[in-house]
Amino acid sequence: MPGIIEESLVVLDLAAENKDQAVRLLAERLAGAGRVTDIEEFLADVRAREQVMPTGLEGGIGIPHARSEAVTTASLAFGRSPSRVDFGASDGPADLIFLIAAPAGGGAEHMTILASLARRLVHGSFREALRGSASPAEVAELINREVGA
Amino acid sequence: MRIVAVTSCPTGIAHTYMAAEALEEAARAAGDTIEVETQGAAGMNKLAAEAIASADVVILAADVEVRERERFSGKPTVEVAVSTAINSAPAVLEEARARVASFTPASASAPKSATPPATPLAAAGFGSRLRQWLMTGVSYMIPFVAAGGILIAVSFIISGPQVAMQVNGGIFHGVHYAGATSIMAIYHTAGIGGVLFEVGGVAFSMLVPILAGFIAYGMADRQGLVPGIIGGLIAVDVHAGFLGGIIAGLLAGATVRLILKVPVPRVISGMMPIVVVPLISATVVGVLMLVVIGNPVSFIMTEITNWLNSLSGANAIGLGALLGLMMAFDMGGPVNKVAYTFAVAGLASGGIGGQKVMAAVMAAGMVPPLALALATVLRRRLFNDAERKAGEAAWLLGASFITEGAIPFAAADPLRVIPSIMAGSAVTGALSMAFAVSSPAPHGGIWVVGLLGHWPLWILSIAVGTVVGSACVIALKSLRRTVPSSASVISLQEVANA
């Protein structure tokens, strides 16, 4: 199984004004890498999840995500948004955006990797490392190392 | 503080695990121990039953229904949104700490949207720990009540109310039944209905031992089981009913706790859980139950019986109310038995007077489960999950004159439930006498309604008493609910709602 993230899935200057734009830009990267087969279907699934409850968390985090038929392998697209995008967190918009894509029928292996990613996200040191990374390659390497994929 | 937690979110791939991690981190920082069950897409790493049993508090951080939630009933519980656990895990732990201190069983599983849990920062009071112990026993007893009660009710439906006589022997409606000569002969003598009746009876015979055993388990963990169950069996033998079972359970738990405080040499400590503790605790509890509890109970039963007999010719309505009070007081315990035996004896002596007393006693005995079943429907939030489930079964049990259906409620919260159902049953007993309803059948509940004289008025009596009892339970339980005052709770709620 490939890593959860690769260089092409990291956008360090995400130019998005709202969360729909941000999610679409990141989803296009997933589609470009062949990890999402039908971008519209995937976006609809993400929106549906976002409507249940916003995915923004305190500390500048947005984690839009979905399990979708359009996803082939457990993946993460990561964006840093200097201008920040509102994901509905109580303390304001997010500068770190994690778009998590899980295959609908994903086996335990996929889900375990995503679970370990989610656990890393809680740690302030992990977030700071992402904020301080200089290149997409560095980010991809850091994340894949941390989640053990 | 020992914590078990469940985290769960709509998709099960992100927040579930973030909340788990945040809670674990916060617990590590605060020096608490925690086990988290993540109900997510990667499956569910189920908490061990022992972990739940030994936990001081349960944290449910969930935006969707928690699976197998009944595992936690009776435990102090904090419910928060998943995002609250992620954003402010340390505050959630503090709320849990306060929850342990202020725990009261009925509000333990109130939905988070209804009322924020109150958290007066008092030390864990004896009262709240007592309620927690009782609730542990009750939650293990409820399935026995439901299974046994429904089996008995079904046996009445299949074979008619004479099924008890077909199995045990006796006279019913003028017919003499010899009864089954042995337990193996029941199917031959009384058919499948008789067999179900017997199985239900065996389940019922376990109510008090299980209650006592698991009250002791709640106090002293598995070491409490042996003295608790033995004490409960003796409570049954001395006709002390479920109140005797509560005493046995508390006695057993306290005894084990005391024994474990005694320092022992290393040579013996290995033998403590297998030999020493069970031996000593069973002896202490058994002797106390037989000698200290048994004698007074039989003395009281004799005295009340004599007193009731001396009342013959007294005001009929007053007698109906008195018998109603007695039927509801301990539901199958000594006082209830005296009232019931008094009625059955009157029935055997012939005459319409005895039949009227019988109708009043049966109606009054049906009210407690019905009143509580009604209360669980009218005010769900006053009852925890286990009690709501017991409430569903209680309709059938009450209708079948199986008063024991109310025991789970009474054992969990005796001071509020028992007076309430006594009020309801007294009203029903008095009304049934006032309406001069008569019953030639000693049991059967709604299934013998065809045999009763003035049966519509009998139903009316039961309905009025049920409403009265239910209203009293709701009123008394509502009084206890405390007003949220702590600033930390309010801020948590704000976070949850944001």
Side-chain angles (χ1 to χ4, degrees), chain B residues 358-368 370 401 425 428-429 432 458 461-462:
Chain B
M358 192 66 243
V361 161
M362 181 148 56
M366 294 165 68
V367 165
L370 293 175
F401 184 32
S425 290
T428 295
S432 177
W458 186 71
S461 312
I462 293 169

Side-chain angles (χ1 to χ4, degrees), chain B residues 118-159:
Chain B
T119 62
L121 285 161
F126 177 75
S128 64
R129 278 186 299 159
L130 177 64
R131 278 189 289 271
Q132 194 183 337
W133 298 331
L134 294 182
M135 203 55 223
T136 305
V138 168
S139 64
Y140 284 95
M141 173 182 61
I142 284 174
F144 286 84
V145 178
I150 292 171
L151 278 169
I152 293 172
V154 167
S155 76
F156 283 153
I157 297 169
I158 293 177
S159 300

Side-chain angles (χ1 to χ4, degrees), chain A residues 49 52-58 61 63 65-67 88 90 100-102 106 108 111-112 114-115 118-123 127, chain B residues 9-15 17-22 24-25 28 36 38 41-43 45 63 81-83 86-88 495 498:
Chain A
R49 167 60 186 87
V52 175
M53 191 159 295
T55 58
L57 291 168
E58 283 176 20
I61 309 287
I63 37 167
H65 60 278
R67 298 183 76 175
S90 54
I100 301 176
M111 297 309 164
T112 307
L114 292 178
R119 283 176 174 274
R120 297 309 304 159
L121 290 181
V122 174
H123 295 266
R127 300 177 186 184
Chain B
C9 66
T11 326
I13 61 177
H15 292 76
Y17 302 97
M18 296 177 74
E21 185 78 10
E24 286 167 10
E25 285 289 296
R28 235 191 313 276
V36 184
T38 47
N45 59 324
D63 291 339
V82 159
S83 58
I86 300 171
N87 290 332
S88 22
V495 172

